[in-house]
Amino acid sequence: MKKLSVLFAAVMMIVSVGMAKAQKIATLDVIGVLNAMPEKKKADADLKTFLDTKQAEIKKKADAGQAKLKQYSEEAPKKTAEENKAREAELQKIQEEIAQMQDKAQKDLQAKQDVAFGPIEKKLNDAVEKVAKANGYEYVMDANSPAFLYKAGADATPAVKKELGIQ
């Protein structure tokens, strides 16, 4: 019985190695391809401009809040407790507005990224699919994945770049 299980295990290893060799696998430098795409470069620039604008608005509000805080701190000893309490509430409101601006900017950025990168991702996936079918690849894996222990398969990166018309 023990010999039968060892024999079965050996047969399974041989079959699985044979099946693995029969499959055609390629790797693809997804990040390299994306960074070479003009659409991605433009989307990155547009998103950076958007983010810089939002950050400038938030900084302007924060600077105004800091100026008021400094002013109120200097004037606090000369003011009544009621006035100081009202000023404290005003500063708290400014702080909440800044937090809301940051949240809204983050959500807006995420929405813009989704809109900007959706067509780019589709174009890349279509090119990968076309190259994989043309070359008979059953699997195309990201070459940047840390899951790879050994990389010796065909590299589909040049073919995908050629399909996209980039170098």
Side-chain angles (χ1 to χ4, degrees), residues 101-167:
M101 288 174 73
Q102 289 171 331
D103 287 345
K104 185 174 180 344
Q106 186 64 36
K107 288 176 184 171
D108 291 348
L109 178 65
Q110 185 62 49
K112 280 193 165 295
Q113 283 177 330
D114 292 345
V115 168
F117 293 143
I120 295 167
E121 187 178 318
K122 182 179 180 348
K123 184 176 181 180
L124 175 63
N125 287 337
D126 290 347
V128 169
E129 185 176 338
K130 189 172 183 180
V131 167
K133 286 181 180 177
N135 292 294
Y137 301 137
E138 293 179 27
Y139 299 97
V140 177
M141 300 177 153
D142 187 356
N144 301 308
S145 172
F148 278 114
L149 298 176
Y150 179 72
K151 299 176 191 173
D155 186 4
T157 304
V160 171
K161 282 185 171 182
K162 182 178 177 186
E163 179 65 32
L164 290 169
I166 57 177
Q167 298 302 331

Side-chain angles (χ1 to χ4, degrees), residues 3 9 19 38 43 55 74 91 96 100-101 122 130 147 160 167:
K3 289 181 184 180
M19 287 177 64
Q55 286 176 336
E74 290 170 358
L91 291 172
E96 289 170 4
Q100 288 173 350
M101 288 174 73
K122 182 179 180 348
K130 189 172 183 180
V160 171
Q167 298 302 331

Side-chain angles (χ1 to χ4, degrees), residues 27-116:
T27 60
L28 173 66
D29 180 8
V30 175
I31 294 170
V33 172
L34 282 172
N35 289 335
M37 292 176 72
E39 301 94 328
K40 168 85 166 47
K41 291 176 184 176
K42 183 181 180 329
D44 286 343
D46 292 347
L47 290 170
K48 183 179 181 335
T49 301
F50 173 79
L51 186 59
D52 290 345
T53 302
K54 291 296 183 182
Q55 286 176 336
E57 291 172 8
I58 292 168
K59 184 178 181 338
K60 183 178 174 183
K61 184 80 168 177
D63 290 346
Q66 286 291 83
K68 275 193 177 188
L69 175 63
K70 183 180 179 196
Q71 175 192 352
Y72 289 174
S73 296
E74 290 170 358
E75 296 174 354
K78 301 173 191 167
K79 299 292 179 178
T80 66
E82 285 180 11
E83 288 175 313
N84 285 334
K85 196 169 192 170
R87 288 178 166 197
E88 192 176 306
E90 182 183 352
L91 291 172
Q92 182 66 32
K93 183 180 177 199
I94 290 171
Q95 199 172 26
E96 289 170 4
E97 289 172 359
I98 291 169
Q100 288 173 350
M101 288 174 73
Q102 289 171 331
D103 287 345
K104 185 174 180 344
Q106 186 64 36
K107 288 176 184 171
D108 291 348
L109 178 65
Q110 185 62 49
K112 280 193 165 295
Q113 283 177 330
D114 292 345
V115 168

